[in-house]
Amino acid sequence: MDEELRSLTERLRRESGDPPEFGALAATEDRDRLAHVLTAPGQPLWARELAAFRLGLAGDRRAFESLVLLLNHRDPQRCASAAYALARLGDPRTARAAAALATNELRVAYALHPVRLLTALRAPESVPALISTLTRRLRPHDPYRRVGLACVEGLGALGDPRARPVLEAALAHPAFAEAAVRALARLPHRGR
């Protein structure tokens, strides 16, 4: 069993109180049954999360909308699980959705996992979204340092020279300076 699936299953087992429905949902291999949980009225959050995660790992695109909603959830564990499943889903809409979540200033408190997902996806949307999000984190007294740091690290990992100006600007911010030095070192040298 996938370690992330095992961890999610144990967390949701505790959250749900381990009713018989949980065991049945965790054990089923019927993708249609899992997909039904995502659309049926009155389903608890734990059931929707378990069904979406399992469908995502299976590459079933019916999980996409539910996983995107979970990626933007206030609970960091749900965000992390959704990002993991979305990275494996293979849906071409994923990068665009993650970029929209990462750059939404009204939801920036929940942008950490969309930023990390963009880095993992290495999609055309990744670098522009990370540059935009990091630029906003360079404002004085911005409270979202973890999001900014994830952008700096992501831009370094992606190694795109378009990130050079924002990473150079990040050098002036104590919270980002060390990571910005490392990220800049990963970019291709100018003139190449």
Side-chain angles (χ1 to χ4, degrees):
M1 178 187 273
D2 179 282
E3 184 57 36
E4 290 294 323
L5 177 57
R6 183 185 339 274
S7 175
L8 174 121
T9 302
E10 288 309 310
R11 174 173 58 83
L12 296 180
R13 184 183 313 280
R14 289 188 302 273
E15 180 182 313
S16 69
D18 200 15
E21 300 83 29
F22 178 87
L25 191 60
T28 188
E29 295 300 322
D30 183 349
R31 288 189 193 172
D32 289 335
R33 180 175 179 193
L34 292 170
H36 176 74
V37 170
L38 299 179
T39 58
Q43 294 296 312
L45 182 57
W46 63 260
R48 292 183 193 280
E49 183 178 2
L50 181 58
F53 188 87
R54 293 194 59 219
L55 286 169
L57 292 187
D60 190 317
R61 293 184 181 172
R62 292 177 287 183
F64 176 76
E65 288 84 4
S66 295
L67 289 171
V68 169
L69 289 172
L70 290 165
L71 181 64
N72 197 32
H73 197 275
R74 68 182 174 271
D75 179 351
Q77 289 181 307
R78 285 198 162 89
C79 297
S81 295
Y84 182 85
L86 281 164
R88 284 144 188 82
L89 179 59
D91 192 302
R93 301 171 291 176
T94 300
R96 190 170 50 248
L101 293 174
T103 58
N104 182 344
E105 277 301 292
L106 298 176
R107 302 287 295 170
V108 69
Y110 310 109
L112 180 62
H113 292 286
V115 163
R116 289 179 177 163
L117 177 57
L118 283 166
T119 302
L121 293 174
R122 305 182 81 81
E125 296 89 346
S126 297
V127 171
L130 296 184
I131 288 172
S132 175
T133 303
L134 178 56
T135 299
R136 294 181 188 136
R137 305 291 62 87
L138 297 179
R139 295 177 188 149
H141 312 294
D142 183 84
Y144 304 107
R145 288 190 184 120
R146 289 184 64 206
V147 173
L149 186 58
C151 289
V152 171
E153 293 167 348
L155 289 168
L158 294 170
D160 190 304
R162 294 176 292 173
R164 186 174 302 282
V166 74
L167 289 172
E168 288 174 347
L171 291 171
H173 295 264
F176 307 135
E178 189 176 319
V181 168
R182 287 191 304 270
L184 283 163
R186 296 179 78 178
L187 299 184
H189 295 289
R190 289 183 179 159
R192 281 191 183 174

